[in-house]
Every structure is written in C-alpha cells, then in structure tokens.
C-alpha cells in the first residue's frame, strides 16, 4: 500500500505582529491584543503571536517595554523573541507590523500576504474611521478576523495621516524614556480602532 504525505500548509489562523528585534513593539501589541481577544472570545481561541525581522532570538521582552505593557494592563510572562520566517507569515490570517518597512519585509517573504498586512497604526486608523454598519459582523472570531483583513485591504489608503511616518510605531530600543512614552501613546491611540474591528464597537 502506498502512503501519500500531504505537503499542503495548514489553514492560516490568528494574528502575527512584526517589528525588528521582537522585544519592544511587537510583543507589546501581541500581548495587549491577546488579552482583549481572550476576554471577548475565550483564552487562545484567536491566537496572537509576534516575530522580528532582526530578532534577538531567545531574549525576554525589553525591560522598559515590559513596564509599559504592565501599565497598559498586559503581561510579558513567558515571552521569548523569535525570528520571522515565511511559514510564520503564511500561517497568519492578519499581519500587523510596526512600520511600513516591516510590512514590506513581510510581503517580500510571502507576497500573498500583501492583502492582509498592515502597520498597526494604519489599520487602527482605518477601522476607527469606518462607519459602524460597515464593520465585520461574523460571530465566529476567526471568520471575523478574515473580514477585518478584507475590510482593511479595501480601505487601504483611504484614511491617511498627515505624514507617512505617522503610520509607523517609534522604535524605542536603547532610546531615552521619552521615546518609550511616545511609543505608549501611539499604541494606546491605535488599539481602540483595532479592537473596534476585531471584537466590535464598545458599548
């Protein structure tokens, strides 16, 4: 009897967040989104992970970023940095990046991810501005995640900030405390829009 082995990829699932070292920006966004999605849908039902284009592989989260995360209600326990790979990108339904350069790196790794890859601030801004009746409506959270990616792709370029740099999250690594505070403000500003799409409008 001949045994055949399938080489097909598993179905894409969850959210991937990408920055450079995978110790500051992407783990902060990862853990905040995971907490909100766990609260809305149940623990781990919508998995959120992160990776870095120049990852400090095996490192814990940057100490000052972890402090900011704690201030925002998140937890860095057990976090370990990892490097981004093409299978990791291919396995995500939605990719959120710290900057436009990271988004370009993601697409170079896996061109088919272009339609579902956005910077954190880009998608947050777009979802904050869309009328409520146009938001995703799927009850299943993974179906809703696909709808968010499709909506974001349709809205791409429709809600641009004053400058292209305003689509990027500031890199605080080894920078003064005020740069970390700037990052916190950017993440706090983007989260409501992201969650409006991912879990529904706040009531």
């Amino acid at each position: 009897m001949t045994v055949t082995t399938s080489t097909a990829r598993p179905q894409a699932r969850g959210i991937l967040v990408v920055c450079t070292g995978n110790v500051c920006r992407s783990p902060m966004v990862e853990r905040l989104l995971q907490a909100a999605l766990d609260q809305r849908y149940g623990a781990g039902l919508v998995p959120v992970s992160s990776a870095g284009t120049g990852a400090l592989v095996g490192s814990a989260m940057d100490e000052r970023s972890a402090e900011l995360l704690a201030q925002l209600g998140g937890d860095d326990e057990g976090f370990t940095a990892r490097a981004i790979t093409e299978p990791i990108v291919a396995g995500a339904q939605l990719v959120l990046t710290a900057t436009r350069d990271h988004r370009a790196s993601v697409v170079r790794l896996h061109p088919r991810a272009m339609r579902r890859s956005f910077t954190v601030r880009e998608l947050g801004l777009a979802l904050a501005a869309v009328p409520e009746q146009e938001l995703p409506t799927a009850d299943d959270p993974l179906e809703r995640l696909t709808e968010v990616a499709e909506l974001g792709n349709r809205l791409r370029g429709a809600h641009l900030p004053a400058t292209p740099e305003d689509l990027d999250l500031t890199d605080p690594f080894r920078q003064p405390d005020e740069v970390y505070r700037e990052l916190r403000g950017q993440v706090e500003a983007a989260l409501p829009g992201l969650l409006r799409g991912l879990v529904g409008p706040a009531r």
Side-chain angles (χ1 to χ4, degrees):
M1 182 177 64
T2 301
V3 178
T4 59
T5 302
S6 172
T7 58
R9 294 183 187 275
Q11 185 174 3
R13 188 169 182 266
I15 301 171
L16 173 67
V17 191
V18 179
C19 71
T20 303
N22 192 211
V23 293
C24 293
R25 294 169 287 181
S26 56
M28 183 184 300
V29 175
E30 171 200 330
R31 291 302 176 93
L32 291 172
L33 288 180
Q34 188 70 76
L37 290 164
D38 285 354
Q39 182 177 17
R40 173 65 177 83
Y41 296 116
L45 192 57
V46 181
V48 187
S49 62
S50 63
T53 57
L56 301 175
V57 176
S59 296
M61 192 172 173
D62 172 77
E63 184 176 345
R64 285 185 289 172
S65 287
E67 290 173 0
L68 292 183
L69 174 60
Q71 292 167 16
L72 294 171
D75 185 354
D76 70 316
E77 183 178 358
F79 178 81
T80 303
R82 65 173 181 166
I84 193 170
T85 64
E86 189 273 339
I88 289 174
V89 175
Q93 289 173 270
L94 177 68
V95 182
L96 299 174
T97 67
T99 69
R100 291 159 293 147
D101 285 344
H102 294 122
R103 185 182 62 198
S105 295
V106 164
V107 173
R108 283 195 295 272
L109 269 178
H110 187 70
R112 293 179 63 184
M114 180 175 65
R115 296 175 63 86
R116 60 180 189 271
S117 299
F118 313 88
T119 76
V120 168
R121 298 178 77 185
E122 173 188 19
L123 188 59
L125 184 67
L127 293 175
V130 72
E132 184 170 339
Q133 64 270 21
E134 296 179 21
L135 288 171
T137 57
D139 292 327
D140 180 275
L142 295 178
E143 289 180 12
R144 188 181 183 99
L145 190 52
T146 296
E147 290 182 1
V148 166
E150 291 172 348
L151 176 59
N153 193 56
R154 291 198 301 272
L155 295 172
R156 200 186 297 272
H159 302 283
L160 294 176
T163 67
E165 290 73 22
D166 290 333
L167 292 174
D168 298 342
L169 293 176
T170 298
D171 185 0
F173 188 59
R174 295 180 177 171
Q175 296 298 312
D177 288 345
E178 55 264 30
V179 182
Y180 282 83
R181 289 192 291 269
E182 181 181 3
L183 172 63
R184 172 179 172 162
Q186 292 169 347
V187 171
E188 283 186 298
L191 273 176
L194 292 174
L195 295 178
R196 187 169 182 257
L198 293 168
V199 305
R203 300 297 183 185

